Amino acid sequence: MKKITVSILLFFLSQFGGIALSVLLFILIAFPQELSVGTIKQLYVEKQSIINITGMFIGQVLLFFSLYGLHYFEKQDFRKKITPKTCILTALLTITALAFIGGLTAMFGVKDLNHQFFLDIATFPISPISIIIGAPLTEELLFRRAMLGSMVEKGLNPWVAIVTSALLFAVLHLNPAQCVGALGAGLLFGWLYVRTQSILPGLIGHFINNLIGYIHILLESKGVIETSQPQIPIAALAVLAAVTAVLIRMIMLQSDSCSGKGIKI
């Protein structure tokens, strides 16, 4: 419980610390000589999205080194071998499972509060680094390795641990549309972590999910694709669900064939 509490505190402190450092950085760049509350407010209003994505990236760096400094993960976590077949199955599973979840989200019209923010920062150079690399890396280390890993190590029922970490992952996104997808992703990546005892499958899946999301928002910001999210027919959702189930079963069989790997759930 202590590790989970500390992890949540680190999450918020790194986010707020990142934003504070980002504001300071932009102040030093924009106003090297004169400072006032008015100029700071003006700067934040004019550059809010850019300041926030820069702060997000700085926060990710702070979180990564904080987790490492507290030994919430080790270098060996990145050296645990998984087979190429598991990597491929994980990639396919991520695409089908999250497409299914995205279809359900669109069907029920869940509002995305951060949509305009992502459009505003889509072409900013640091955005792909933060979204595609920084977010998957730090979130998998925090929610899967630190939180989920500590609960399983303490002897908590694996499914209770997976659901708990997934709920925390969803709630801390603070955005209805992302919460739905994050809950599904948290369950999927949590199951992969417990099943394989490696953060690498979750990292692969998270990377693919964010890569697809970033490409979509980038194309949307350039007017290449429409803003509205297309509705996926019920039949297509059923096919996605069936394919997802088959891929889950294949990963179960694959992990069963690897001696000394994971917990069978």
Side-chain angles (χ1 to χ4, degrees):
M1 190 65 183
K2 179 183 177 182
K3 185 176 283 190
I4 295 174
T5 303
V6 172
S7 295
I8 293 173
L9 286 174
L10 282 176
F11 175 82
F12 283 111
L13 288 173
S14 63
Q15 293 296 308
F16 288 124
I19 295 295
L21 290 173
S22 178
V23 170
L24 179 61
L25 176 64
F26 276 84
I27 287 173
L28 293 175
I29 294 173
F31 306 105
Q33 294 181 331
E34 58 177 282
L35 283 178
S36 69
V37 175
T39 56
I40 293 174
K41 286 182 177 179
Q42 179 186 352
L43 173 67
Y44 189 73
V45 169
E46 292 177 354
K47 304 289 185 180
Q48 183 174 355
S49 295
I50 303 302
I51 289 174
N52 285 344
I53 187 61
T54 304
M56 187 186 301
F57 176 70
I58 294 173
Q60 289 162 355
V61 174
L62 293 174
L63 181 57
F64 178 86
F65 285 105
S66 297
L67 291 171
Y68 184 70
L70 290 170
H71 303 288
Y72 281 12
F73 74 92
E74 306 290 342
K75 292 179 181 179
Q76 292 88 326
D77 290 311
F78 298 98
R79 296 171 184 166
K80 292 181 179 179
K81 293 182 179 180
I82 56 173
T83 65
K85 185 176 181 180
T86 299
C87 293
I88 294 170
L89 290 173
T90 296
L92 294 174
L93 176 59
T94 300
I95 293 170
T96 58
L98 297 183
F100 174 74
I101 295 168
L104 291 178
T105 303
M107 182 184 297
F108 291 103
V110 182
K111 189 175 182 180
D112 187 353
L113 301 179
N114 290 336
H115 187 73
Q116 187 58 51
F117 164 71
F118 285 116
L119 287 177
D120 291 341
I121 56 92
T123 57
F124 190 58
I126 208 170
S127 297
I129 301 173
S130 177
I131 294 170
I132 301 171
I133 299 173
L137 178 60
T138 54
E139 289 173 6
E140 289 308 306
L141 289 173
L142 180 70
F143 291 98
R144 254 61 71 185
R145 179 64 187 92
M147 292 189 186
L148 175 56
S150 68
M151 286 187 278
V152 173
E153 289 166 8
K154 292 291 185 181
L156 191 65
N157 179 280
W159 275 116
V160 173
I162 290 170
V163 171
T164 301
S165 63
L167 285 171
L168 287 169
F169 183 53
V171 170
L172 291 179
H173 273 76
L174 305 176
N175 178 18
Q178 284 183 290
C179 284
V180 176
L183 178 60
L187 292 170
L188 174 61
F189 300 151
W191 176 78
L192 285 168
Y193 174 77
V194 173
R195 188 76 193 184
T196 64
Q197 287 296 285
S198 171
I199 63 168
L200 295 181
L203 271 175
I204 292 170
H206 207 146
F207 167 80
I208 291 171
N209 175 68
N210 285 24
L211 175 63
I212 293 172
Y214 176 73
I215 291 173
H216 183 278
I217 206 75
L218 181 64
L219 294 176
E220 188 178 329
S221 71
K222 294 180 177 295
V224 177
I225 58 177
E226 296 181 0
T227 300
S228 59
Q229 190 172 4
Q231 297 285 336
I232 300 179
I234 298 293
L237 286 175
V239 171
L240 285 171
V243 173
T244 298
V246 170
L247 290 169
I248 288 174
R249 181 57 182 164
M250 292 176 70
I251 288 178
M252 291 173 69
L253 293 173
Q254 174 67 16
S255 59
D256 284 344
S257 67
C258 299
S259 59
K261 293 277 186 175
I263 300 172
K264 293 184 179 181
I265 58 172

